Amino acid sequence: MAREELTRLTGNGNGTCGEDDCPNVYRTASGSIVVQGDVSDAFTPPQGEGLVEIPESVLRETVRALGW
């Protein structure tokens, strides 16, 4: 899936990662959530899964964007 196919819920493109604006949260066409952030080594996830860390402020912005 290409980033262009996702709806960006957070950030304005002016973050420390420039146009990629990480960390960030996206919504897919099917309504699931994709999270972009720093790779975390908090624990070893099951095969095929990964861990990322994002600031609480990004989650709060996501909740506002979704109207929850």
Side-chain angles (χ1 to χ4, degrees), residues 22-59:
C22 63
N24 216 335
V25 178
Y26 301 87
R27 183 181 233 172
T28 67
S30 65
S32 63
I33 302 296
V34 176
V35 177
Q36 175 185 354
D38 293 328
V39 175
S40 174
D41 60 0
F43 63 89
T44 302
Q47 186 173 4
E49 296 182 5
L51 303 176
V52 298
E53 292 186 32
I54 60 171
E56 180 181 324
S57 61
V58 174
L59 290 177

Side-chain angles (χ1 to χ4, degrees), residues 3-14 19-36 54-68:
R3 182 180 296 170
E4 294 77 25
E5 298 175 61
L6 303 172
T7 301
R8 184 165 58 185
L9 299 174
T10 57
N12 59 12
N14 295 323
E19 291 297 317
D20 294 338
D21 200 32
C22 63
N24 216 335
V25 178
Y26 301 87
R27 183 181 233 172
T28 67
S30 65
S32 63
I33 302 296
V34 176
V35 177
Q36 175 185 354
I54 60 171
E56 180 181 324
S57 61
V58 174
L59 290 177
R60 290 180 184 275
E61 186 178 353
T62 302
V63 168
R64 283 192 299 274
L66 292 171
W68 293 351

